[in-house]
């Protein structure tokens, strides 16, 4: 019998807050793709949100509205413009469905320049 090595290794799939080990992680976006028929959530239902593929990352990341809007502030509305751009993501908690849960958020700072977006 082989011993399991890690939680994230035992449950492969999409990137989760626990995969970040409590740290900020800066990654380069390879592309943003539409979900396919094999992409399912933890509840087994088909995925309906865009999926971010990072360069040199084992897992993809399901993009929610909050994080999509933050990246839009940094790099624009078109997913194609995000290719090759870097984002810094970090684990935190947020309110969802009436409870506090672990989640991933995007730092609203361009990691390459250290600049915040011009909001006005």
């Amino acid at each position: 019998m082989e011993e399991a090595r890690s939680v994230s290794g035992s449950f492969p799939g999409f990137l989760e807050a626990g995969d970040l080990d409590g740290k900020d992680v800066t990654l380069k976006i390879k592309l943003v793709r539409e979900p396919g028929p094999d992409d399912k959530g933890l509840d087994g239902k088909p995925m309906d949100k865009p999926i971010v593929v990072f360069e040199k990352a084992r897992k993809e990341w399901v993009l929610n509205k909050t994080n999509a809007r933050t990246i839009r502030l940094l790099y624009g509305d078109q997913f194609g413009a995000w290719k090759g751009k870097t984002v810094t993501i970090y684990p935190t908690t947020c309110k969802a469905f009436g409870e506090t849960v672990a989640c991933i958020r995007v730092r609203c700072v361009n990691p390459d320049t250290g600049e915040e977006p011009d909001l006005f």
Side-chain angles (χ1 to χ4, degrees):
M1 178 184 315
E2 186 176 339
E3 287 186 40
R5 296 173 198 233
S6 67
V7 174
S8 60
S10 296
F11 300 98
F14 297 107
L15 189 63
E16 300 175 21
D19 295 323
L20 303 179
D21 291 328
K23 301 173 189 160
D24 283 22
V25 177
T26 300
L27 298 163
K28 185 179 284 191
I29 298 171
K30 183 176 182 178
L31 60 94
V32 179
R33 70 175 181 84
E34 291 294 326
D38 294 331
D39 295 317
K40 303 216 181 333
L42 294 175
D43 57 5
K45 293 180 181 177
M47 193 74 57
D48 64 349
K49 295 180 175 26
I51 298 169
V52 178
V53 180
F54 293 112
E55 293 183 9
K56 301 179 184 177
R58 293 187 315 271
K59 292 185 175 183
E60 298 175 331
W61 182 43
V62 179
L63 193 61
N64 66 21
K65 189 184 297 188
T66 300
N67 291 322
R69 288 177 173 167
T70 302
I71 298 172
R72 178 179 66 187
L73 285 172
L74 294 169
Y75 301 124
D77 192 54
Q78 300 298 311
F79 290 132
W82 299 4
K83 287 182 183 180
K85 304 292 188 191
T86 56
V87 292
T88 299
I89 58 176
Y90 64 97
T92 189
T93 57
C94 57
K95 293 271 188 186
F97 311 108
E99 60 182 306
T100 300
V101 296
C103 64
I104 296 174
R105 291 291 184 248
V106 177
R107 297 257 179 237
C108 196
V109 173
N110 182 320
D112 296 326
T113 65
E115 295 179 12
E116 295 181 14
D118 183 10
L119 300 178
F120 301 102

